[in-house]
């Protein structure tokens, strides 16, 4: 996953990039990083209390890749995020050269569901075609998503970027019922939305941000409000405007 700087995210957010939530509450201040093993240089931990104190309310955490890779910091980060009050999304990096159902089962078994407190829905990170032509990749994606939804009980989010979707997925509009997490780093007021999606839900604006508590450059994301009130979407155990307690 890729992007720019924290300053850019703040600038874009301040320009009013976000839609209102279904409750009419602006979501411009609902931001969070996505992290993998790269954000643990030298094996060091992430200070999730520091992340939350800096105002970040969620994070997307890499769980698995293909059929064998598990993020070695997944359990550590999952536990620490919950204690710190940071809502957790988890993602699987797709390897479409391998069958989808076993990958979906591998991911779902590791994350142990996505329905608990502070859980965002599961995420499919789709940015590699595995050499499949568009029709085959579209079929692969349907099968993966259907399996994950059946196993976790929640409709997955799709992460991708415009050019990949327009080429590898032939800009298909078959997935518009799934929330979209789009990567677009060009600094526009809105990201480019492919595939006929009526709206984006998360926007990855940079891969070189900086956050207190994380000892390496990090991707930064913002929530649009397209899925409604963030506290409900993330199963947060408190109410309000979407802000959690520090």
């Amino acid at each position: 996953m890729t992007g720019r700087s924290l300053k850019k995210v703040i600038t874009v957010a301040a320009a009013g990039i976000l839609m209102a939530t279904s409750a009419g509450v602006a979501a411009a201040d609902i931001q969070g990083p996505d992290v993998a093993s790269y954000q643990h240089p030298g094996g060091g931990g992430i200070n999730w209390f520091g992340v939350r104190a800096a105002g970040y309310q969620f994070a997307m955490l890499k769980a698995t890749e293909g059929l064998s890779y598990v993020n070695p910091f997944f359990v550590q980060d999952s536990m620490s995020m919950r204690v710190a009050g940071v809502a957790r999304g988890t993602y699987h990096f797709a390897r479409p050269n391998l069958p989808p159902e076993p990958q979906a089962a591998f991911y779902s078994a590791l994350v142990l569901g996505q329905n608990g407190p502070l859980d965002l829905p599961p995420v499919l990170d789709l940015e590699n075609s595995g050499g499949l032509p568009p029709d085959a990749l579209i079929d692969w994606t349907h099968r993966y998503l259907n399996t994950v939804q059946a196993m976790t009980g929640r409709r997955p989010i799709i992460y991708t970027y415009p050019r990949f979707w327009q080429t590898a997925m032939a800009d298909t509009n078959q997935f518009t019922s799934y929330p979209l997490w789009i990567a677009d780093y060009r600094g526009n007021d809105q990201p480019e939305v492919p595939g006929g999606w009526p709206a984006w839900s998360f926007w990855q604006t940079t891969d070189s941000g900086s956050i207190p508590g994380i000892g390496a450059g990090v991707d930064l994301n913002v929530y649009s409000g397209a899925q409604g009130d963030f506290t409900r979407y993330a199963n947060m155990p408190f109410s309000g405007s979407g802000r959690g307690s520090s």
Side-chain angles (χ1 to χ4, degrees), residues 59-241:
M60 303 295 197
L61 174 61
K62 182 172 184 177
T64 51
E65 179 176 334
L67 284 171
S68 59
Y69 177 81
V70 175
N71 174 5
F73 300 95
F74 178 78
V75 173
Q76 172 184 321
D77 281 334
S78 291
M79 295 177 64
S80 299
M81 289 166 70
R82 289 183 187 279
V83 172
V86 177
R88 181 193 72 148
T90 67
Y91 68 89
H92 175 77
F93 188 94
R95 291 295 182 186
N97 58 308
L98 301 170
E101 289 86 358
Q103 290 189 63
F106 174 49
Y107 162 81
S108 299
L110 178 74
V111 299
L112 299 175
Q114 288 288 140
N115 280 310
L118 294 168
D119 271 339
L120 286 161
V123 179
L124 171 63
D125 180 349
L126 187 60
E127 53 183 296
N128 185 304
S129 72
L132 298 182
D135 285 351
L137 186 57
I138 289 168
D139 177 69
W140 188 102
T141 303
H142 277 301
R143 290 162 58 192
Y144 178 91
L145 294 171
N146 288 340
T147 304
V148 166
Q149 185 164 347
M151 296 188 73
T152 65
R154 298 189 78 178
R155 179 162 289 268
I157 298 165
I158 296 175
Y159 169 93
T160 193
Y161 57 93
R163 184 63 177 163
F164 178 85
W165 198 267
Q166 291 158 357
T167 56
M169 295 288 280
D171 209 26
T172 179
N173 63 1
Q174 295 182 32
F175 297 90
T176 56
S177 64
Y178 294 92
L180 173 65
W181 175 13
I182 192 70
D184 187 340
Y185 320 121
R186 293 172 296 177
N188 297 325
D189 288 345
Q190 291 283 337
E192 181 179 359
V193 177
W197 265 285
W200 55 274
S201 295
F202 293 90
W203 177 9
Q204 185 183 87
T205 59
T206 176
D207 69 350
S208 56
S210 177
I211 289 182
I214 300 180
V218 66
D219 303 343
L220 294 173
N221 308 273
V222 64
Y223 173 63
S224 73
Q227 303 303 315
D229 180 72
F230 188 76
T231 59
R232 292 192 296 270
Y233 194 49
N235 290 338
M236 286 185 166
F238 36 75
S239 61
S241 64

Side-chain angles (χ1 to χ4, degrees), residues 6-67:
L6 177 59
K7 182 178 179 182
K8 171 59 72 178
V9 175
I10 295 172
T11 301
V12 172
I17 60 171
L18 296 176
M19 308 170 199
T21 66
S22 60
V25 179
D29 58 346
I30 300 175
Q31 301 178 29
D34 57 270
V35 301
S37 61
Y38 304 111
Q39 279 68 50
H40 293 265
I46 292 174
N47 179 353
W48 287 106
F49 285 96
V51 173
R52 187 65 190 88
Y56 296 93
Q57 299 181 50
F58 71 90
M60 303 295 197
L61 174 61
K62 182 172 184 177
T64 51
E65 179 176 334
L67 284 171

